Amino acid sequence: MFLSWLPENVSSFGRDIDGIIALIYYVTLAWFIVTMGIFLVFIVRYRRRPGRPASYVKGDRLREAAWIVVPLALVLVLALWIDFKGAAVWAKVKIDRPESDLHVNVTGKQFNWVVTYPGPDGKFGSADDKTFLDEIHIPAGKPVRFTLESRDVVHSFFLPNLRLKQAIVPGRSVEGWLDAMKPGKYELPCAYLCGFGHSGMKAYLHAHEPAEYARWVAEQWKETR
C-alpha cells in the first residue's frame, strides 16, 4: 500500500526488488515511530519542574548503558536480516544470469545513449552492426543480455519500470541482463549528474510482442537478408 507510488513493475525480478524496498521501508518506519515515541515520552516525563534539579548521568552502569547496547543490537539484527533477504535477490539479478539469444551494447556519453546490435551474424565489430541513438528494442517476455560502457564520465543506466539501475564508470564494461514481461515503451534516463545536459539525457526501451519484434529486426537488416 505504502509503495503504490512506485512505477509499474514489468520485470520478472521486479517483485523481488520491491520486496526488499518494502522491507527496508517498513523496518525504517517502525524504527522511526519507536524512536520518536521514546523521545516524546522523555520530553514529557523529564521536562523541567520546580524542585527537580538536573542530574549528571555518566552511563557507566549496565542499566544506563543498556540504552545504547540494546538499540545497537537491534539495529545489527535488522541490518543482518535485510542483508540476508537481499543476498538472494542480488544473486538473482547480478550473478545468475539467464541464457539469452539477444545481446546489446549500450554506451553512455554526454548526453545520449548509444545502442549497438550485433546483426544477423551475432558478432560485434562486423559490418552488419546497427547503432541507434536513445532507443532500445527488445522482445517482451525474454531475457536480454547487455554490456554497459561510458565514453566520458560516470553515467547511471536507470529503467524504473524494470527495477534496474546500474552505474557506468569510464574504462570499465558492466555485464548484466534485463527483461520486460509486458510490451510497452519505458523511459530510460541517466540517474547520475553527468554535466550541464544531464536532464536531457533520456532514451526509451521499446518492448515488442515477439512477432512485432521480428518485423522490426527484419526491417532493420533487410539489406543483409
Side-chain angles (χ1 to χ4, degrees):
M1 179 180 66
F2 290 101
L3 298 180
S4 59
W5 51 268
L6 289 175
E8 178 190 13
N9 165 52
V10 299
S11 172
S12 63
F13 55 76
R15 181 174 295 181
D16 300 297
I17 299 293
D18 287 352
I20 298 300
I21 294 175
L23 176 61
I24 296 173
Y25 181 90
Y26 288 120
V27 166
T28 305
L29 178 62
W31 193 255
F32 174 80
I33 292 173
V34 170
T35 302
M36 292 300 104
I38 292 175
F39 280 171
L40 182 61
V41 170
F42 280 16
I43 288 172
V44 174
R45 183 173 180 181
Y46 298 107
R47 68 187 184 278
R48 177 188 291 181
R49 296 178 185 176
R52 176 187 283 183
S55 60
Y56 177 69
V57 179
K58 295 182 178 180
D60 54 356
R61 292 184 297 180
L62 182 60
R63 183 178 178 182
E64 297 163 351
W67 284 101
I68 298 175
V69 175
V70 172
L72 176 63
L74 287 174
V75 169
L76 180 60
V77 169
L78 292 173
L80 291 175
W81 182 30
I82 293 172
D83 286 345
F84 176 77
K85 289 288 188 179
V89 179
W90 176 269
K92 182 176 182 179
V93 177
K94 296 292 186 178
I95 300 175
D96 302 328
R97 301 172 191 159
E99 294 294 328
S100 174
D101 297 329
L102 177 60
H103 186 184
V104 297
N105 283 347
V106 182
T107 301
K109 71 179 185 69
Q110 295 174 311
F111 299 96
N112 298 100
W113 296 105
V114 180
V115 183
T116 304
Y117 289 77
D121 65 359
K123 298 178 181 179
F124 288 104
S126 58
D128 63 351
D129 286 3
K130 283 277 187 177
T131 298
F132 302 87
L133 197 64
D134 297 330
E135 58 180 275
I136 302 177
H137 295 263
I138 66 170
K142 294 184 178 181
V144 177
R145 289 179 56 209
F146 61 74
T147 300
L148 303 178
E149 296 178 337
S150 172
R151 191 175 295 177
D152 37 43
V153 299
V154 178
H155 297 285
S156 182
F157 184 79
F158 185 33
L159 283 161
N161 293 96
L162 275 65
R163 303 299 191 264
L164 179 64
K165 189 176 185 181
Q166 176 64 58
I168 316 171
V169 181
R172 180 182 176 187
S173 295
V174 180
E175 302 288 336
W177 72 282
L178 57 82
D179 61 14
M181 308 309 292
K182 179 180 178 180
K185 180 181 178 181
Y186 305 106
E187 187 177 17
L188 195 172
C190 175
Y192 196 94
L193 185 58
C194 57
F196 71 91
H198 162 72
S199 61
M201 186 172 173
K202 182 170 62 176
Y204 288 94
L205 181 141
H206 302 264
H208 303 277
E209 292 282 3
E212 180 184 351
Y213 178 74
R215 287 194 296 270
W216 179 84
V217 170
E219 179 65 25
Q220 303 305 317
W221 282 273
K222 60 183 178 182
E223 69 278 5
T224 63
R225 295 175 183 272

